[in-house]
Amino acid sequence: MEAIASISRPPPPYLPNVAKRARHDGSASGALGLPWTAPARASNAAARVSVHKPAGARPRPAPTLSEAEDRARRELPVWAGRTELLRELELNDSLIVMAETGSGKTTQIPQFLHEAGFSARGAIAITQPRRVAAITIATRVAREMGCALGTRVGYSVRFDDTTERGVTKLKYITDGMLVREAIADPLLLAYAAVLLDEVHERSVQTDLLCAIVKRAQAERRRALERARRGCGAGGGDGGGVAHGGGAGASPPSPPLKVVVMSATLEMATFSAFFGGAPCVHVRGRSHPVTCFYAAAPLDDYVEAAVTATLQVHCEEAGLRLDAGRDELPARAGDGADGDILVFLTGAEEIEAAAQLLNARARRLPAGCPKLLPCPMYAALSPAAQLRALEPAPRGVRKAILATTIAETSLTVPGVRYVIDSGLTKSRRFHAGKGVDTLQVVPISKAAARQRAGRAGRERAGKCFRLYTEHTFFNELEASAPAEIARANLAAVVLSLKALGVTDVTAFEFVQSPPRAALLAALEHLLVLGALDAKTGALTPTGSLMARMPLEPSYARALLAARAHDCVGPMLTLTAVMSVEGALFVRGGSGGAAGAGEVGARADGAAHDGGGGIAAAHSAADAARARFASQYGDVLTRVHAMGAAHAAGYNADWCRAHGLSKRTLASAERVRRQLCGLWARLVGPLAGAEREAAVLSEDERRGVRRALTAGFFARAAVRQPNGRYVALASREEVAVHPSSVLFSRKAPCVLFQELVLTTKRYIRELTVIDEAWLAELAPDFFDDDERA
DNA sequence: GAGCACTGC
């Protein structure tokens, strides 16, 4: 063990040992320049590999890799620890691997296990938090192993499963998919080993999977013990043990091997959770990144980010920002070599920064290379995202203005400088009020290191932090709170119940969520009819809900459609409401996503007027108005989806009607998936295949009643003074101005969303009859009246 | 009369 884990606690990369205050280039900074503090020396020890080379034969190279590629693969740091890893896994059921970026853990460790025979009695699952990662890594590994994707190596993500049971040995799978599989097969009998990757991200799903595999491990071990004892007691001699032999029982499955893979130092948490599992540390391969800090706190970080970008752009090109034409530097610097990645918090702010950058870039000193701002956030169309990833033209430096999307979800090549605002947007669930909020909060130290590391992917880089060194060391948390500690747990609790957990408050989580959140989730599921009030067990309805890839409230509403003769329309409704991404976008110049088109203009001269996001919003309002329903925003979406379906999702038609083809396409995919699921779980779809473009009045009434069955807790009634009060919380709420019901107030509405900004706004409304509430959710409203 | 970080089933 020691050989590999020669350093079980490596020095954190990027951190200076000595903080030296170093003003950049004397007094030159003037109005534009920001003063920085810099470390005494660049320090990133992670560039070295500290594991020894094991002796022993290695398998033959995969035929489809070139010799150079194969050599590169064997030189990945994780190869040095191959023998040790395998030996530890022979001796232990669980292993924690801390491997830094660039170590090759995700592609190589599964192959090590396969080659060593661990896959002989079951597949090896490798979980990934993101779809693209599962797909691209599986593709890469299939090539390394010289086989076609979908044979020995495959992936399984929503809507796309390329694996074949019994054939696929290495199965790259999204976290969520494996949780689904575990609901049908809690002992994970299809697998001989499960490798949980990127557990340091602490998503609800990986936390849940840790607990699931631990339980499966324990039960499979017990089953093995029982089989062994049973055989022994059954008499006979040694031979009987090897062959099993209980009356007709199938041979017990082998112990489940679990490898937990993380990229940060949080190993102790997971080691303790898995009963003191050994930890292995594998060095990564990244380049040193020098960090600079703001010398004093900054009040406007968008402004500061723009200033810092220009400063880095000029100074790294060998120019001083205030240098005049006569003072061109003797040393030419690096020209426009190396792009700048700027971390901001949201789309609106990024568009504002892009405009500011464009305006100020015009006033750069003569001889300064061009600077090209490139917005990057999830709402951008894929085409616009790709444009930001393309190499800049010669002599031009890109400034990629990104959200946290560039932290882990995608890698921007060519980045040499990172500017870090130190902030991110974070969603939090407030159990007491049952509302979600989205707030700008400081990032963690781990996230700050992750961001800085983005400058050192290809060569040595620099990171400029728009906060002080004191803030970094004394104010930032070591790591962000696990998602499970701040999320709405209704879906989690429903999954746990489906996994056979009777008492979720006693369940052993990697980190226990707040008790209040657990109780709120239980109560929510109880009033939805998913749990039995006496036993707390899943009801038949709850069991169906747990099998649907929907939020519990939507699942409940969908099931309620049976009683209201509107299953087909409700399938459309739940599909169109459960996809992310804007449905209504600006029409005209044609693009899948409205905001995307706005962002894509950043490289042109079009970034002049106030336009931007605000214009896209009002255009979306106009698109919404075309399909407006007197019954509210949800029915408006259903109308739009129905009309688009009738038009065959034609691209020109979508554009002309201000609808996002991309969002519609994913809604249609979800709808088809739900139809298939419904046919299997509930029964044949009588007439629901009719893709109702236009709903009858009865169907409109039906879906509003069905929706009430799932969302009664989010009802608001109009007061005599014209304002609304949310029934459950008794709080005053206001209709969001984007709603089709903004100027046409109904007496009673359901809302899908409550956002806290300048007011408590309710969004995505549906007009209902107040009497339905007591009829469809008597328990909930009886209690409420007594309260 | 305002504005949706990022994943995932």
Side-chain angles (χ1 to χ4, degrees):
Chain A
M1 181 83 296
E2 279 307 306
I4 294 182
S6 54
I7 304 181
S8 60
R9 286 172 40 77
Y14 316 122
L15 300 191
N17 294 326
V18 183
K20 191 173 79 178
R21 205 159 270 255
R23 284 208 173 253
H24 241 241
D25 209 14
S27 60
S29 47
L32 269 179
L34 291 168
W36 302 103
T37 61
R41 60 181 172 83
S43 68
N44 184 2
R48 291 189 305 276
V49 178
S50 71
V51 281
H52 79 276
K53 302 254 178 196
R58 287 169 180 175
R60 282 184 298 118
T64 53
L65 285 192
S66 72
E67 211 168 294
E69 283 176 318
D70 191 59
R71 202 179 318 119
R73 176 185 161 221
R74 277 148 201 290
E75 281 166 4
L76 284 167
V78 71
W79 268 80
R82 184 176 186 271
T83 331
E84 315 286 345
L85 275 166
L86 291 173
R87 193 171 58 213
E88 287 300 332
L89 209 53
E90 286 288 352
L91 298 172
N92 303 281
D93 281 353
S94 314
L95 185 62
I96 318 296
V97 175
M98 187 256 145
E100 293 160 14
T101 312
S103 62
K105 67 177 187 313
T106 311
T107 56
Q108 305 306 308
I109 294 179
Q111 294 185 67
F112 296 166
L113 264 63
H114 174 60
E115 288 157 1
F118 282 96
S119 54
R121 293 180 66 188
I124 297 171
I126 310 97
T127 68
Q128 289 296 316
R130 285 167 286 277
R131 290 167 53 94
V132 271
I135 296 169
T136 54
I137 297 164
T139 308
R140 166 77 199 175
V141 171
R143 201 165 150 257
E144 288 187 7
M145 288 177 53
C147 66
L149 193 62
T151 57
R152 275 181 299 149
V153 184
Y155 63 84
S156 176
V157 302
R158 189 181 188 181
F159 307 124
D160 197 1
D161 180 359
T162 69
T163 65
E164 193 179 333
R165 193 159 179 160
V167 175
T168 302
K169 292 300 182 184
L170 297 189
K171 180 169 172 179
Y172 287 85
I173 181 170
T174 44
D175 302 332
M177 284 294 283
L178 192 57
V179 171
R180 296 269 143 198
E181 284 192 11
I183 289 174
D185 172 18
L187 296 189
L188 296 168
L189 293 173
Y191 301 101
V194 174
L195 281 59
L196 303 173
D197 203 4
E198 317 286 10
V199 290
H200 60 277
E201 292 186 18
R202 300 301 303 273
S203 76
V204 166
Q205 309 284 32
T206 46
D207 266 26
L208 208 50
L209 280 174
C210 283
I212 288 170
V213 295
K214 183 178 171 179
R215 229 171 49 127
Q217 242 180 353
E219 290 196 23
R220 276 163 65 161
R221 215 179 286 127
R222 273 197 294 275
L224 272 176
E225 280 304 315
R226 272 199 306 274
R228 215 166 279 150
R229 273 201 310 273
C231 291
D237 38 29
V241 177
H243 295 288
S250 54
S253 47
L256 181 65
K257 297 290 182 180
V258 172
V259 181
V260 174
M261 308 202 285
S262 163
T264 61
L265 309 175
E266 254 188 311
M267 290 185 291
T269 309
F270 294 102
S271 172
F273 184 75
F274 284 98
C279 301
V280 170
H281 173 232
V282 180
R283 286 301 181 125
R285 201 176 272 168
S286 55
H287 303 273
V289 174
T290 314
C291 288
F292 299 86
Y293 296 88
L298 304 161
D299 41 62
D300 182 344
Y301 64 90
V302 178
E303 161 76 26
V306 168
T307 303
T309 303
L310 291 166
Q311 186 180 358
V312 168
H313 175 55
C314 290
E315 294 184 355
E316 294 299 323
L319 281 164
R320 288 217 324 247
L321 261 187
D322 58 346
R325 191 176 290 272
D326 307 332
E327 301 175 66
L328 284 179
R331 192 181 61 82
D334 290 323
D337 198 22
D339 296 329
I340 306 172
L341 174 60
V342 188
F343 283 102
L344 294 169
T345 68
E348 198 160 355
E349 171 178 300
I350 283 170
E351 294 299 340
Q355 288 193 25
L356 203 56
L357 212 47
N358 266 326
R360 291 225 212 138
R362 293 199 199 105
R363 301 202 301 264
L364 286 175
C368 195
K370 280 201 163 56
L371 185 67
L372 178 65
C374 302
M376 169 63 79
Y377 43 88
L380 278 179
S381 69
Q385 289 192 13
L386 275 178
R387 275 199 290 276
L389 296 180
E390 280 166 7
R394 211 178 158 75
V396 176
R397 194 197 306 277
K398 281 195 303 179
I400 301 101
L401 309 171
T403 59
T404 42
I405 193 171
E407 213 172 280
T408 48
S409 300
L410 58 87
T411 299
V412 188
V415 170
R416 197 172 179 191
Y417 309 100
V418 163
I419 292 169
D420 176 17
S421 65
L423 299 167
T424 189
K425 279 188 184 170
S426 171
R427 185 182 286 278
R428 249 159 243 263
F429 176 70
H430 299 266
K433 296 178 177 179
V435 299
D436 270 321
T437 58
L438 199 60
Q439 284 175 307
V440 173
V441 297
I443 59 172
S444 66
K445 284 195 187 79
R449 289 189 192 114
Q450 175 73 25
R451 289 181 175 189
R454 292 298 176 168
R457 300 279 297 190
E458 295 164 14
R459 54 193 157 151
K462 293 181 185 174
C463 172
F464 299 86
R465 292 180 168 149
L466 301 175
Y467 41 94
T468 64
E469 194 168 15
H470 181 271
T471 300
F472 179 87
F473 283 105
N474 302 94
E475 291 172 27
L476 298 191
E477 298 289 338
S479 51
E483 191 188 359
I484 205 159
R486 53 186 174 83
N488 180 344
L489 299 178
V492 174
V493 171
L494 188 60
S495 295
L496 286 175
K497 289 283 182 181
L499 285 159
V501 177
T502 45
D503 182 1
V504 294
T505 59
F507 185 69
E508 200 187 350
F509 292 95
V510 178
Q511 176 188 331
S512 292
R515 196 176 161 78
L518 271 179
L519 295 179
L522 282 167
E523 179 165 348
H524 187 198
L525 293 172
L526 202 65
V527 295
L528 283 178
L531 301 180
D532 184 285
K534 288 198 188 93
T535 64
L538 276 187
T539 60
T541 297
S543 176
L544 287 175
M545 287 167 59
R547 281 165 176 75
M548 296 186 168
L550 293 169
E551 286 300 311
S553 291
Y554 276 114
R556 183 69 191 86
L558 183 53
L559 288 170
R562 287 176 295 184
H564 302 287
D565 281 331
C566 58
V567 173
M570 269 313 275
L571 285 164
T572 305
L573 186 151
T574 44
V576 77
M577 293 307 292
S578 69
V579 292
E580 77 277 18
L583 178 63
F584 300 105
V585 298
R586 65 177 197 149
S589 62
E597 292 311 307
V598 175
R601 295 188 325 194
D603 54 351
H607 246 295
D608 42 15
I613 293 259
H617 282 307
S618 55
D621 287 352
R624 191 181 282 110
R626 275 196 198 104
F627 300 98
S629 161
Q630 58 171 316
Y631 296 123
D633 307 290
V634 174
L635 267 292
T636 298
R637 283 175 184 264
V638 174
H639 284 177
M641 172 107 182
H645 188 91
Y649 302 104
N650 174 280
D652 293 328
W653 185 94
C654 290
R655 200 175 303 129
H657 291 78
L659 296 175
S660 161
K661 184 171 158 58
R662 180 161 58 128
T663 305
L664 285 165
S666 46
E668 175 58 19
R669 240 173 5 168
V670 173
R671 187 185 189 282
R672 277 201 300 268
Q673 187 192 29
L674 292 175
C675 286
L677 207 57
W678 185 277
R680 264 184 290 136
L681 295 179
V682 185
L685 278 169
E689 292 88 342
R690 184 169 52 87
E691 322 267 3
V694 181
L695 270 56
S696 70
E697 192 52 38
D698 279 350
E699 285 172 323
R700 278 195 265 263
R701 185 167 186 276
V703 294
R704 290 184 295 129
R705 282 169 63 80
L707 207 57
T708 306
F711 290 93
F712 49 82
R714 296 189 200 163
V717 290
R718 196 177 59 187
Q719 304 299 107
N721 63 11
R723 294 178 184 155
Y724 282 89
V725 166
L727 284 180
S729 64
R730 302 274 182 211
E731 285 177 316
E732 189 169 289
V733 293
V735 175
H736 195 275
S738 67
S739 171
V740 296
L741 295 178
F742 179 65
S743 53
R744 186 167 47 185
K745 310 276 195 256
C748 183
V749 294
L750 297 180
F751 56 91
Q752 306 297 304
E753 254 191 302
L754 195 151
V755 293
L756 301 177
T757 51
T758 51
K759 286 185 190 170
R760 308 176 64 82
Y761 282 110
I762 52 177
R763 298 168 48 150
E764 303 301 338
L765 308 189
T766 303
V767 177
I768 60 162
D769 188 333
E770 192 174 349
W772 296 347
L773 292 170
E775 178 195 339
L776 296 168
D779 299 343
F780 187 74
F781 285 96
D782 284 354
D783 287 348
D784 204 53
E785 288 308 317
R786 278 198 298 274

